[in-house]
């Protein structure tokens, strides 16, 4: 499963954030490609089920070749929405729905296939064989190239893997959400050859002076020594792990995206990496 080393998250491109016009989105896609960021992360729910279609229109206008980019989408998380007759937030993973939603995302994005299709969150009512049946069908039809999950536990991944190959996992991982570095999930990804994607990789850096003064101080001192920004250190920290974490970043500013891409070249010393982990956790390693 291939992605660029930095993935562009599109959650805030539309109604849930910047409300970019078609021309602005097309320009944003072009800016990403100029920086070598070729993978775009979506979900059906983004922008109250509108952002995918807006992106698809912009992608068509950009005239960029389909093979030049990778498109990821997610399904299964249903939000209250009158057009879908959704009265309550819930999960839906019956085979008919998974197939229909993959086809809908493909249509929305104005493409012939998805490079990766993920289950957005685990459901207590998941029928693993039903899920596997839909994914196998979508792959056989050439509608998706790879299958993955998001926010699953290692046990949930293993149970599903008994029925269909899980090739990628998108999970929360950052300086504020350091648990993947202290539990076994990243080692699990490595042993099963599962691509690791980190959503919200910058965590809440903007609130560190309120939430974690120790981490804010450590990052401030290191930013001077490494001649970089705190946000770049947050990306470098993730990038140091041997599993090859792909950060999913949400910025719509080309200058900031460029800085985050450059962070992938920063190599933290072993002790500096553990200093950051220590400050994140609030105590030294055991």
């Amino acid at each position: 499963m291939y992605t660029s080393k930095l993935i562009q998250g599109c959650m805030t491109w539309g109604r849930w954030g910047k409300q970019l016009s078609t021309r602005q989105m097309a320009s944003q896609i072009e800016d990403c490609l100029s920086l070598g960021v070729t993978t775009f992360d979506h979900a059906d729910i983004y922008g109250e089920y509108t952002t995918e279609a807006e992106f698809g229109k912009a992608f068509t206008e950009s005239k960029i070749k389909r093979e030049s980019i990778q498109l990821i989408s997610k399904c299964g998380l249903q939000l209250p929405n009158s057009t879908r007759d959704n009265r309550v937030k819930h999960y839906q993973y019956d085979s008919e729905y998974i197939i229909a939603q993959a086809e809908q995302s493909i249509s929305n994005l104005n493409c012939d296939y998805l490079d990766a299709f993920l289950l957005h969150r685990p459901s207590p009512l998941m029928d693993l064989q039903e899920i596997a049946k839909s994914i196998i069908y979508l792959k056989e039809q050439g509608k998706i190239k790879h299958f993955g999950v998001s926010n699953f536990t290692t046990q949930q991944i293993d149970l599903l893997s008994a029925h269909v190959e899980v090739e990628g996992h998108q999970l929360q991982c950052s300086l504020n959400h350091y648990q993947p570095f202290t539990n076994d999930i990243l080692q699990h990804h490595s042993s099963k050859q599962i691509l690791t994607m980190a959503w919200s990789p910058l965590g809440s850096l903007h609130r560190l002076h309120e939430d974690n003064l120790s981490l804010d101080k450590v990052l401030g001192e290191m930013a001077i020594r490494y001649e970089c920004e705190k946000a770049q250190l947050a990306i470098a920290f993730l990038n140091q792990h041997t599993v090859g974490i792909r950060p999913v970043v949400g910025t719509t500013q080309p200058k900031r995206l460029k800085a985050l891409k450059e962070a992938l070249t920063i190599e933290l010393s072993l002790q500096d990496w553990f200093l950051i982990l220590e400050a994140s956790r609030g105590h030294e390693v055991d």
Side-chain angles (χ1 to χ4, degrees):
M1 179 172 167
Y2 174 81
T3 72
S4 50
K5 290 188 177 180
L6 205 66
I7 297 173
Q8 174 67 68
C10 300
M11 184 177 73
T12 63
W13 282 27
R15 189 177 297 178
W16 282 0
K18 299 296 182 179
Q19 301 186 50
L20 301 177
S21 66
T22 301
R23 182 58 247 165
Q24 287 173 322
M25 277 198 188
S27 178
Q28 194 75 30
I29 296 169
E30 292 161 359
D31 287 339
C32 287
L33 263 64
S34 71
L35 293 170
V37 178
T38 60
T39 307
F40 299 85
D41 180 74
H42 291 272
D44 54 354
I45 62 172
Y46 290 167
E48 298 291 336
Y49 301 98
T50 63
T51 302
E52 279 189 336
E54 291 170 353
F55 180 98
K57 185 178 179 182
F59 174 58
T60 300
E61 184 173 299
S62 73
K63 307 298 184 185
I64 292 169
K65 293 181 179 179
R66 174 65 181 90
E67 58 268 25
S68 299
I69 68 171
Q70 301 82 48
L71 294 172
I72 298 171
S73 194
K74 300 179 281 292
C75 85
L77 177 55
Q78 290 269 36
L79 301 181
N81 185 280
S82 59
T83 62
R84 291 192 166 214
D85 193 30
N86 289 344
R87 294 174 290 106
V88 62
K89 184 177 180 180
H90 63 284
Y91 307 112
Q92 184 171 354
Y93 287 127
D94 59 272
S95 182
E96 183 179 355
Y97 177 76
I98 292 172
I99 291 169
Q101 190 53 61
E103 293 173 340
Q104 183 63 59
S105 290
I106 289 168
S107 175
N108 287 342
L109 293 165
N110 283 335
C111 61
D112 297 324
Y113 63 90
L114 296 173
D115 293 274
F117 191 49
L118 315 182
L119 306 185
H120 209 147
R121 287 186 179 274
S123 169
L125 299 179
M126 287 188 300
D127 182 328
L128 303 182
Q129 291 182 327
E130 182 84 354
I131 290 170
K133 181 174 70 173
S134 63
I135 298 305
I136 291 168
Y137 170 82
L138 288 167
K139 280 193 168 187
E140 288 176 344
Q141 295 298 310
K143 295 182 179 182
I144 67 172
K145 286 190 173 183
H146 302 282
F147 169 64
V149 296
S150 183
N151 306 298
F152 274 49
T153 65
T154 55
Q155 185 178 24
Q156 288 166 336
I157 291 173
D158 284 343
L159 290 170
L160 182 54
S161 294
H163 302 277
V164 63
E165 183 182 7
V166 176
E167 301 165 272
H169 185 202
Q170 193 172 122
L171 75 170
Q172 186 177 11
C173 185
S174 68
L175 297 182
N176 303 102
H177 196 86
Y178 57 80
Q179 287 80 1
F181 291 104
T182 57
N183 59 32
D184 65 349
I185 197 158
L186 297 183
Q187 283 73 25
H188 180 266
H189 288 180
S190 181
S191 67
K192 302 293 184 179
Q193 296 185 312
I194 295 172
L195 181 75
T196 306
M197 297 167 277
W199 62 268
S200 193
L202 298 181
S204 55
L205 282 179
H206 61 291
R207 294 203 313 267
L208 279 186
H209 61 287
E210 301 172 3
D211 299 341
N212 192 332
L213 283 173
S214 176
L215 178 58
D216 193 43
K217 181 174 182 294
V218 166
L219 292 179
E221 293 171 350
M222 286 192 191
I224 294 171
R225 282 198 287 112
Y226 284 89
E227 298 182 339
C228 65
E229 303 171 12
K230 293 177 182 178
Q232 290 178 303
L233 288 172
I235 295 296
F237 179 80
L238 299 185
N239 190 53
Q240 201 95 349
H241 197 280
T242 56
V243 77
I245 298 172
R246 301 290 196 261
V248 181
V249 298
T251 184
T252 55
Q253 301 174 32
K255 183 179 179 181
R256 185 163 176 76
L257 184 62
K258 183 175 184 291
L260 296 179
K261 176 76 181 304
E262 290 171 349
L264 298 175
T265 65
I266 298 172
E267 186 172 347
L268 300 169
S269 73
L270 178 66
Q271 293 194 48
D272 281 345
W273 193 91
F274 277 97
L275 276 172
I276 293 174
L277 179 64
E278 179 180 275
S280 298
R281 300 176 73 194
H283 58 85
E284 62 186 17
V285 295
D286 300 330

